[in-house]
């Protein structure tokens, strides 16, 4: 069983250049589609106006069309009377002027009457100038001029311009077709899997093809998804050949592009055609293969979902955009200060997913999980930070460029909470969004003390905290010690039951903290600075137990839910955390104590409408009911301001 | 024939508030859709994970799964050998670890072998720590936690997160249904109209329903377009009743919402239900009516396409977003300096469409046509500037907020040309986009002298100019006089034939400039500062003709094409302009002279890659052929640097 090696890693730019050199020319046919069906398509040629708009001189107001000359000399003393039907004509907005008429008098400015012979007349007391209230022919668009350049993505506004120019069947590119070949013997279609099969690990769900299909659609293309192919070189070869000989313009094999023993994509491409690139110095996305088979581009992209997305975006989406005569839409750029240092491996360009919040005028970036398997790091991200290959990372607090995934407006609507994690924060976010669309609660989990430090540095609006002081009170001592100069309002979110989580049925018969020192009982701790860890240490000291006697005391997780997951997955026998986490995963729960979980709010944001809206939500019946349903919360003082710290 | 009045104009905010007070609660049903069909839908409830991701401890690398403990003590001197199948197990990335195994050793770090009894073995020379190269259960998502908040628009990334969480049929809102009722006796469906009917003005093309439908689709909704209804109160009433009693969640009547004699929408709404708002102090969009009929919201929006779009965006799209649990996506904001003063009527909030270009670090905004009928002002716009109601407008050059319609990347790829208009500029834009995707040429037309002034002020990268100097040379004198201190490279774009454009067949038998003074011959001039006007004045002086003897000398248009349109539409008998414009509209052309049309490029942008790419395009065969096809151009020196002005 041997591992192959990448012969040469290409930089992203070099790899793109090689791809474009071979496949930059668009293979897409051009076709004419009715305007009704043109939305989302891309203009394939010059859209030269067939008609002017307006196509004639038209009334810009409801009123009377006249020849301006016939009003010259009119005054209050010497009004001019014109006969309707002969010298003047009622017109409605948009209507063509009758021949020889060159002005419109608004209906308010004429007096209707009748002449002796019964003809309807109007009388003017003021002269009008030529072309008054007239939309002149070609005012908007002049026939033959280009209304939109080729490569334009046709949206609502463009439909309007094409229609006004008489282009009722504009030339567009045929939708690029992308064959997607999922490969992997362990994979099964998502729809065929039960939770039991998935939990057993016997089969892995194949969902990258859904994600890639959505990316293809977002780029204006049409995905053609092949059934899953097992890790068999012959079957992969056959699938690639079938795809390149079919209607696809681009073929994507996912995965098998790495250098592992079951990774055949690169080798098969080089056998069937030419392998241009194998290995790109980006992370995630390194194991990417790019080649040409029978004149069509074949991309081998890695299997981890984040790697697959990034590799496909960089190569597939750039190619689809180029073929349609445009660039891939660049994400808006901004500058953000990393909440913490972002180390990165030199020699690799790393793409980090971050959450963003605007605190005062600073955009603060909080990194999400880096793993290439953490697909939620994409859906949770507000932006991407690229650490260039030559750089060893970015320091905390120094501004770095960030590409925005969400609009700046959405980001600016976010309250940024950094600190201890609690499941009610997710609930609050959902309720806040509903209560005040446009607002949200973005939370990052670094433990209680980390949150207070972030407040001190002005990197967040509020911090969840549950730090037991030596005075036996929660949070006051820590805030007094660490937040000198920063006025704080301490708001009760909830009392929480903390306790030991153990497997259902408590097979090891753990009865309390004392049992953690028993041989065969393993534990998972929370990180230093977390309130749960402080509580544990306080209780261990009270009971006279040695930290080092607990197997796993040094092993750390960052949230209650991940501790619960470690217990549920059988990784450890016990962990300390809140009851709601235990209940969520069906674990047994042995109470250790009740603690206060509070929100420390920087007083200068107290009157911020986002914060006030959050307060309304915290004090609402909906929140009480939702927290009740999570279980393990005491809500009697929820929403109370407990203490105001002057700073 | 009477004009009604608006009883009370509402501000935009007040009108929105009234709309939301009555209709803020979502009428949308919730439904579960398979993940394959969830793209573009909006989450209607909390997406609580059914599964953890990974759902088990899995290998993060291809290698051998072992129990870490069994490697403890291994070293180069004392390697440990483990039996495959008993103590060690080959695993592939993503595979579940066998029970009791808690670490993966990369395949590179083991030596394969065989024991005496023929069992396959691996040998380790180094201990590994527990959970090395293991993706722990719940690392990405822990079952029961919320993966996405309600109101989330489901895109590619969200599909990945939902799939990983086992949510293969997420709860989404039913697509909001919007009934669109086009009304107007003069309207006919675009597809039924010939260019001849359109040019006659007998019928107007109805295309707002296509634009509104596209906006509804972009907002995740489903448009239901009603056949065109004539301006008959009974028929409009019937159409509204049919729509509110049908599946529509929102009913839009377009147009008839104004206060004109044929405008029935507001009155019918108040007869059938309640009229909440009639008249909003926004421009375009003032004649908007908002009401409630049988419990459903009915919007009456104006008929001019830009007004229709803005009124529907402000009221319809905000409502659709709210119903789906989110805000309408705010456009990214930036600060831009208006190229010229932007006067606006106090008391009305005006929404101006602008082109944008980044010159040095400044975003420069050039206003597009303001008319509510100029639908191309939407498709050509890069951004919107809102002039608040209390303000009389904005001064030139002072930074004002702008909402970006195009991405900042697209805007930054633009070369901004301000100055004289020539049809080849559109051709250059199209070719540049094709040659270097991401780059574009944005041009605004203010005449040659206006362009030089913009160059001087640092408000553009280059300026098209054709100013005949008293020295008989083009552009040198004007540049020397007006651009002191600004180094310029003068680049020849083309020689152009200028001449008189007259109706086909030259019915008035115009033979030259002298005939412009003949009674019955009317003329349309170009604006002051335009090269064409300078040429006219020079030629008139040479011929000893008095400007005031020409009927229409004071009448001005801003581009060759609009002069040609004025002639083609019969508004005037003659205009002066370039041959290509005459040819485009099939006019007769009487040559007056050949002039130089040059590009004055600010020397400090000469090495800018966008400018160098433009230069490549100007010097390409494709451009020569395209200009040749337009007609009237001399291209022998095209692309030559004629003169370098030191400043």
């Amino acid at each position: 069983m041997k591992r192959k090696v990448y012969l040469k890693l290409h930089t992203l730019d070099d790899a793109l250049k090689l791809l474009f050199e071979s496949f930059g020319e668009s293979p897409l046919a051009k076709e004419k589609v009715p305007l009704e069906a043109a939305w989302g398509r891309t203009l394939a040629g010059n859209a030269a106006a067939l008609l002017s708009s307006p196509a004639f001189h038209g009334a810009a107001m409801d009123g009377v069309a006249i020849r301006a000359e016939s009003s010259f000399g009119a005054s209050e003393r010497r009004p001019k009377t014109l006969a309707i039907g002969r010298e003047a004509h009622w017109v409605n907005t948009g209507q063509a002027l009758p021949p020889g008429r060159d002005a419109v008098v608004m209906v308010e400015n004429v007096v209707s009457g009748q002449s002796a012979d019964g003809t309807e007349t109007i009388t003017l007391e003021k002269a009008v100038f030529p072309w008054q209230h007239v939309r002149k022919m070609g005012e908007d668009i002049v026939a033959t001029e280009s209304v939109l350049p080729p490569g334009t993505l046709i949206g609502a506004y463009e439909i309007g311009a094409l229609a006004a120019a008489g282009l009722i069947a504009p030339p567009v590119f045929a939708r690029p077709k992308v064959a997607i070949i999922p490969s992997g013997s362990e994979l099964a279609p998502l729809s065929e899997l039960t939770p039991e099969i998935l939990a057993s690990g016997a089969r892995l769900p194949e969902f990258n093809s859904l994600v890639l299909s959505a990316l293809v659609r977002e780029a204006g293309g049409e995905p053609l998804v092949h059934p899953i192919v097992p890790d068999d070189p012959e079957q992969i070869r056959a699938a690639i050949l079938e795809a390149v000989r079919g209607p696809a313009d681009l073929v994507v094999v996912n995965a098998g592009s790495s250098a592992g023993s079951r990774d055949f994509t690169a080798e098969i491409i080089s056998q069937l055609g030419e392998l241009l690139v194998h290995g790109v110095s980006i992370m995630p996305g390194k194991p990417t293969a790019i080649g040409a088979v029978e004149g069509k581009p074949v991309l081998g992209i890695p299997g981890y979902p984040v790697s697959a997305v990034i590799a496909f975006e960089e190569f597939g989406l750039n190619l689809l955009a180029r073929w349609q005569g445009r660039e891939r839409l660049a994400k808006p750029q901004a500058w953000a200060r990393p909440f913490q240092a972002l180390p990165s491996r030199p020699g690799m360009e790393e793409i980090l997913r971050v959450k963003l919040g605007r605190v005062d005028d600073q955009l603060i970036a909080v990194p999400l999980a880096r793993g290439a398997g953490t697909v939620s790091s994409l859906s949770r991200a507000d932006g991407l930070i690229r650490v260039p290959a030559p750089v060893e990372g970015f320091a905390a607090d120094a501004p770095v460029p960030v590409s925005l995934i969400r609009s700046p407006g959405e980001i600016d609507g976010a309250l940024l909470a950094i600190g201890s994690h609690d499941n009610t924060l997710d609930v609050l976010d959902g309720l806040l969004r509903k209560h005040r669309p446009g607002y949200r609660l973005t939370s990052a989990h670094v433990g209680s003390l980390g949150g207070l430090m972030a407040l001190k540095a002005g990197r967040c609006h509020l911090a969840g905290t549950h730090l037991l002081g030596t005075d036996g009170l929660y949070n006051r001592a820590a805030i007094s010690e660490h937040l000198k100069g920063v006025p704080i309002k301490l708001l009760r979110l909830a009392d929480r039951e903390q306790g030991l989580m153990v497997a259902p049925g408590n097979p090891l018969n753990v009865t309390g903290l004392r049992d953690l020192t028993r041989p065969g009982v393993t534990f998972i701790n929370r990180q230093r600075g977390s309130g749960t860890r402080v509580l544990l240490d306080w209780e261990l000291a009270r009971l006279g137990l040695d930290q080092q006697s607990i197997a796993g005391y040094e092993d750390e997780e960052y949230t209650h839910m991940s501790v619960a997951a470690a217990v549920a997955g059988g990784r450890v026998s016990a962990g300390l955390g809140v009851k709601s986490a235990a209940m969520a995963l069906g674990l047994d729960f042995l109470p250790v104590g009740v603690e206060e979980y509070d929100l420390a709010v920087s007083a200068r944001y107290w009157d911020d409408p986002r914060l006030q809206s959050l307060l309304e939500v915290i004090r609402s019946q909906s929140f009480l009911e939702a927290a009740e349903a999570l279980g393990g919360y005491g809500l009697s003082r929820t929403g109370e301001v407990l203490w105001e710290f002057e700073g």
Side-chain angles (χ1 to χ4, degrees), chain A:
Chain A
M1 199 147 182
K2 281 194 69 174
R3 199 170 167 84
K4 302 154 218 162
V5 289
Y6 298 103
L7 293 174
K8 185 190 164 195
L9 277 192
H10 286 83
T11 66
L12 181 54
D13 283 352
D14 282 350
L16 268 174
K17 210 174 142 220
L18 288 169
L19 177 65
F20 282 155
E21 275 171 13
S22 292
F23 296 107
E25 281 299 309
S26 179
L28 306 178
K30 297 174 185 184
E31 58 193 30
K32 293 200 167 192
V33 294
L35 204 46
E36 290 84 344
W39 180 69
R41 305 295 294 267
T42 301
L43 264 184
N46 236 312
L50 292 177
L51 288 176
S52 294
S53 173
F56 46 79
H57 304 314
M61 290 283 189
D62 289 358
V64 184
I66 63 168
R67 186 166 178 80
E69 253 183 44
S70 60
S71 74
F72 290 176
S75 67
E76 277 183 50
R77 290 193 167 195
R78 295 191 173 185
K80 288 220 165 189
T81 296
L82 305 178
I84 291 289
R86 282 207 305 275
E87 301 159 295
H89 314 262
W90 291 113
V91 284
N92 289 319
T93 307
Q95 246 185 329
L97 298 193
R101 305 294 167 249
D102 63 3
V104 172
V105 191
M106 279 169 71
V107 69
E108 293 94 314
N109 297 335
V110 300
V111 179
S112 289
Q114 233 176 24
S115 67
D117 65 354
T119 309
E120 188 188 356
T121 61
I122 53 126
T123 301
L124 301 174
E125 300 189 334
K126 217 170 97 179
V128 301
F129 53 84
W131 308 106
Q132 171 183 288
H133 299 321
V134 174
R135 286 195 66 215
K136 290 179 281 190
M137 178 188 154
E139 182 182 281
D140 184 9
I141 294 167
V142 177
T144 78
E145 77 176 330
S146 164
V147 282
L148 294 168
T152 299
L153 182 63
I154 301 175
Y157 297 171
E158 288 72 22
I159 286 176
L162 291 167
L167 293 159
I168 58 171
V172 299
F173 286 111
R175 289 190 186 282
K177 292 185 179 64
V178 180
I180 297 167
I181 305 173
S183 86
S185 301
E186 71 285 10
L187 298 177
L190 193 62
S191 51
E192 289 178 13
L193 293 173
T194 62
E196 292 68 35
I197 299 177
L198 284 167
S200 75
R203 308 297 294 277
L204 295 183
E206 194 292 299
F207 59 77
N208 280 356
S209 64
L210 292 183
V211 178
L212 297 173
S213 293
L215 288 173
V216 168
R217 280 200 196 94
E218 286 170 11
E222 192 182 316
L224 309 169
V225 180
H226 193 281
I228 295 168
V229 181
D231 293 318
D232 166 29
E234 273 321 303
Q235 293 191 54
I236 296 170
R237 190 192 320 267
I240 292 177
L241 281 177
E242 187 191 326
V244 297
R245 288 170 185 170
D249 302 297
L250 166 65
V251 176
V252 177
V253 185
N254 177 231
S257 62
S258 186
S261 56
R262 290 174 314 140
D263 294 319
F264 306 112
T265 311
E267 200 174 320
I268 292 170
I269 291 174
S270 68
Q271 285 163 5
L272 294 177
E274 191 189 355
L275 183 66
L276 302 168
V277 171
H278 189 208
V280 181
S281 56
I282 53 170
M283 206 162 67
K286 175 178 158 189
T288 294
I290 302 175
V293 174
E294 304 199 354
K296 287 188 179 170
V298 178
L299 296 181
I301 62 174
Y304 276 129
V306 183
S307 315
V309 164
I310 287 176
F312 185 70
E313 287 190 344
E314 293 297 347
F315 299 106
L317 292 191
N318 273 320
L319 200 57
L320 297 189
R322 175 68 60 100
W323 286 350
Q324 295 176 85
R326 49 189 155 90
E327 283 285 85
R328 182 152 72 94
L329 282 188
K331 299 183 169 84
Q333 298 285 314
W335 291 89
R337 292 173 187 269
F339 161 72
Q340 58 201 37
L342 304 173
S344 179
R345 197 165 122 201
M348 296 293 281
E349 175 172 339
E350 189 169 5
I351 298 158
L352 298 171
R353 286 80 68 201
V354 297
K355 287 196 171 202
L356 295 169
R358 189 174 296 282
V359 182
D360 299 329
D361 271 350
Q362 305 290 340
L363 213 50
I364 306 293
V366 186
L368 285 154
R370 293 191 178 195
T374 56
V375 62
S376 75
S377 70
L378 285 171
S379 62
R380 285 174 177 153
D382 300 316
L384 299 177
I385 289 178
R386 303 181 89 104
V387 186
V391 169
E392 286 191 26
F394 291 130
D397 244 10
V400 296
V402 59
S403 313
L404 304 184
I405 291 176
R406 308 206 190 278
S407 79
E410 286 177 282
I411 292 166
D412 288 354
L415 280 170
L416 185 59
I418 295 184
S420 169
H421 177 251
D422 186 78
N423 290 353
T424 55
L425 296 178
D426 293 336
V427 170
L428 283 179
D429 178 36
L431 292 173
L432 177 60
R433 287 164 188 255
K434 198 171 168 204
H435 180 57
R436 288 275 184 264
Y439 289 173
R440 53 169 69 197
L441 177 66
T442 290
S443 58
H445 311 131
V446 300
S448 296
L449 194 60
L452 297 186
M453 293 299 152
L455 267 181
K456 168 91 179 174
R459 289 180 196 147
C460 63
H461 300 109
L462 68 162
T465 176
H466 55 120
L467 286 170
L468 182 54
T470 48
D471 54 358
L473 284 175
Y474 271 85
N475 300 319
R476 278 81 160 170
I479 288 172
S480 302
E481 181 183 346
H482 296 294
L483 289 175
K484 285 195 178 63
V486 184
I488 293 291
K489 296 204 189 215
L490 190 66
L491 181 75
R492 173 68 53 83
L493 189 58
D495 295 321
R496 306 195 299 191
E497 244 179 298
Q498 285 262 25
L500 285 173
M501 303 189 262
V502 295
N506 194 2
L508 295 181
N509 195 28
V510 174
T511 59
L513 292 174
R514 226 176 267 283
D515 288 334
L516 296 181
T517 59
R518 238 169 54 199
V521 174
T522 54
F523 182 71
I524 179 104
N525 208 343
R526 288 290 308 283
Q527 84 280 14
R528 241 171 272 269
S530 68
T532 303
R533 177 122 169 197
V534 171
L535 175 68
L536 176 72
D537 291 347
W538 166 282
E539 290 291 328
L540 293 180
R542 199 173 59 80
L543 299 170
L545 295 172
D546 179 11
Q547 296 169 350
Q548 297 314 315
S549 63
I550 299 173
Y553 181 87
E554 300 298 340
D555 226 4
E556 297 180 352
E557 278 293 349
Y558 278 74
T559 68
H560 296 282
M561 285 305 271
S562 44
V563 168
V567 176
R571 193 174 133 210
V572 294
S573 342
L576 188 63
V578 295
K579 188 173 181 185
S580 61
M583 286 177 69
L585 297 194
L587 300 174
D588 277 16
F589 182 79
L590 313 168
V592 167
V594 172
E595 62 168 12
E596 293 181 15
Y597 182 87
D598 298 327
L599 297 177
V601 180
S602 191
R604 70 175 188 283
Y605 306 118
W606 190 260
D607 294 327
D608 185 301
R610 294 168 296 181
L611 197 281
Q612 286 298 313
S613 301
L614 180 70
L615 211 51
E616 285 159 24
V617 169
I618 290 173
R619 293 169 178 169
S620 71
Q621 194 58 32
S622 313
F623 175 63
L624 294 182
E625 282 165 15
E628 200 72 64
L630 289 175
Y633 291 103
L635 302 161
S636 59
R637 300 188 65 187
T638 291
E640 258 183 55
V641 176
L642 301 172
W643 184 55
E644 304 202 17
F645 174 62
E646 299 289 328

